Each structure stands twice: as structure tokens, then as C-alpha cells.
């Protein structure tokens, strides 16, 4: 008998990109990777976009959790990746869940990293457990994941 303990849920949903209107205040190159981002600016969503995203996220979370919860969008930004760009491994502290919206992609380069990656590498000399996961996504997909889950862009 197999039992998975401590599972980490990742949710995927189709969204209508026309219903998400992010108002960026600007872009600049930042992070170690020096990629183009609006992260350091106070970006906003119009009210309809915010309500649409919140309702989409609530529906996904209700699939997994039966306890009552309250969510709000704290920060939202956009990254622009060109060929050869990447985003170093990171997580999003001070929040419970994070999400990625794939606006315009040819290939998914998002890579989620197992929280115990270094322990697995120190105990096993062979690949017994997966240490990385790359979701299969297309334009218009939203991926929702716990913010403690380290991830990167290849």
C-alpha cells in the first residue's frame, strides 16, 4: 500500500486573458538574473480584473481546502523574458499562495524545486525521488502554488 504524505498542491486553471488588465507603472532590469520586471513598482489591477482573479483562485483553493479562508491580492507584477533570460531560484515570503499567468509562451520554462532537494541529494546517490517539476502550460493558463515552494525560470 502506498500513502503520499505531506503533499504539495499545485493548481492549474484556464483564464480569460482579456479579463486581466494589469496596469504596470514601469519596467526595469533587476534581480540577479537582470531580467525585465515591473516588480519594484506599485502595479494595479482594475476592479473587474481583481474580482475575476480572486474568484478563479478561490474556486481552485476550495477544491483542496475545506476550512474557511480569506484571500486578497497583495502584490502583482509582470516579468518579460527574452531568449537567454532566466529567473534564479526563489520563493515568495510573507504570502500563502502565489500564481503565474502565462500570457504569451511557446515553451514553459518554469521549474518547481522540491523543498527537500538538498536532503535528497545527500541521502541518495541515484535519482529515487523527483527533485524538480515543470508544469505543462499553455497561453492563458494560471498556475497557483504555495508561496514556500521554491521555483525558477530556466
Amino acid at each position: 500500500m502506498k500513502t503520499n504524505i505531506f503533499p504539495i498542491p499545485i493548481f492549474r486553471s484556464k483564464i480569460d486573458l482579456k479579463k486581466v488588465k494589469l496596469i504596470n507603472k514601469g519596467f526595469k532590469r533587476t534581480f540577479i538574473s537582470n531580467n525585465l520586471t515591473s516588480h519594484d513598482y506599485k502595479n494595479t489591477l482594475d476592479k473587474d480584473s481583481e474580482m475575476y482573479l480572486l474568484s478563479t483562485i478561490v474556486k481552485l483553493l476550495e477544491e483542496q481546502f475545506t476550512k474557511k479562508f480569506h484571500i486578497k491580492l497583495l502584490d502583482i507584477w509582470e516579468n518579460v523574458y527574452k531568449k537567454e533570460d532566466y529567473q534564479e531560484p526563489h520563493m515568495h515570503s510573507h504570502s500563502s499562495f502565489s500564481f503565474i499567468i502565462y500570457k504569451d509562451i511557446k515553451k514553459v520554462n518554469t521549474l518547481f524545486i522540491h523543498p527537500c532537494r538538498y536532503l535528497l541529494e545527500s541521502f541518495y546517490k541515484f535519482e529515487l525521488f523527483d527533485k524538480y517539476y515543470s508544469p505543462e502550460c499553455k497561453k492563458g493558463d494560471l498556475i497557483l502554488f504555495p508561496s514556500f515552494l521554491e521555483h525558477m525560470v530556466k
Side-chain angles (χ1 to χ4, degrees), residues 90-137:
H90 64 284
M91 57 187 82
H92 301 260
S93 57
H94 309 294
S95 61
S96 299
F97 284 88
S98 298
F99 62 89
I100 301 167
I101 296 174
Y102 295 93
K103 282 178 50 176
D104 187 21
I105 63 166
K106 290 180 176 56
K107 177 185 169 201
V108 174
N109 288 314
T110 304
L111 195 66
F112 290 99
I113 303 166
H114 195 297
C116 296
R117 170 186 60 182
Y118 295 119
L119 284 172
L120 294 171
E121 289 172 354
S122 69
F123 279 90
Y124 302 99
K125 295 183 184 209
F126 53 92
E127 294 286 329
L128 186 60
F129 297 99
D130 292 330
K131 294 181 292 230
Y132 305 98
Y133 173 75
S134 184
E136 292 184 25
C137 295

Side-chain angles (χ1 to χ4, degrees), residues 6-138:
F6 311 125
I8 301 171
I10 294 178
F11 307 91
R12 188 174 89 197
S13 177
K14 278 293 202 199
I15 62 166
D16 184 347
L17 292 172
K18 293 176 186 168
K19 291 184 177 182
V20 181
K21 296 180 180 103
L22 178 63
I23 303 156
N24 286 328
K25 304 294 183 184
F27 287 91
K28 71 178 185 178
R29 296 205 171 271
T30 190
F31 305 118
I32 293 169
S33 56
N34 199 35
N35 66 341
L36 199 56
T37 182
S38 66
H39 182 269
D40 289 339
Y41 298 97
K42 184 71 176 159
N43 302 297
T44 55
L45 290 167
D46 64 36
K47 204 58 167 167
D48 289 339
S49 296
E50 184 175 352
M51 295 308 296
Y52 174 68
L53 278 176
L54 284 171
S55 69
T56 301
I57 292 167
V58 165
K59 284 178 193 170
L60 291 172
L61 292 175
E62 285 175 339
E63 292 174 11
Q64 176 76 24
F65 303 106
T66 56
K67 293 181 180 176
K68 288 191 175 240
F69 58 85
H70 174 75
I71 66 169
K72 64 181 180 175
L73 294 177
L74 300 175
D75 294 306
I76 188 163
W77 65 89
E78 182 176 11
N79 291 345
V80 177
Y81 296 99
K82 304 285 186 202
K83 190 175 181 176
E84 307 299 323
D85 285 350
Y86 69 97
Q87 178 72 57
E88 61 274 3
H90 64 284
M91 57 187 82
H92 301 260
S93 57
H94 309 294
S95 61
S96 299
F97 284 88
S98 298
F99 62 89
I100 301 167
I101 296 174
Y102 295 93
K103 282 178 50 176
D104 187 21
I105 63 166
K106 290 180 176 56
K107 177 185 169 201
V108 174
N109 288 314
T110 304
L111 195 66
F112 290 99
I113 303 166
H114 195 297
C116 296
R117 170 186 60 182
Y118 295 119
L119 284 172
L120 294 171
E121 289 172 354
S122 69
F123 279 90
Y124 302 99
K125 295 183 184 209
F126 53 92
E127 294 286 329
L128 186 60
F129 297 99
D130 292 330
K131 294 181 292 230
Y132 305 98
Y133 173 75
S134 184
E136 292 184 25
C137 295
K138 296 180 178 159

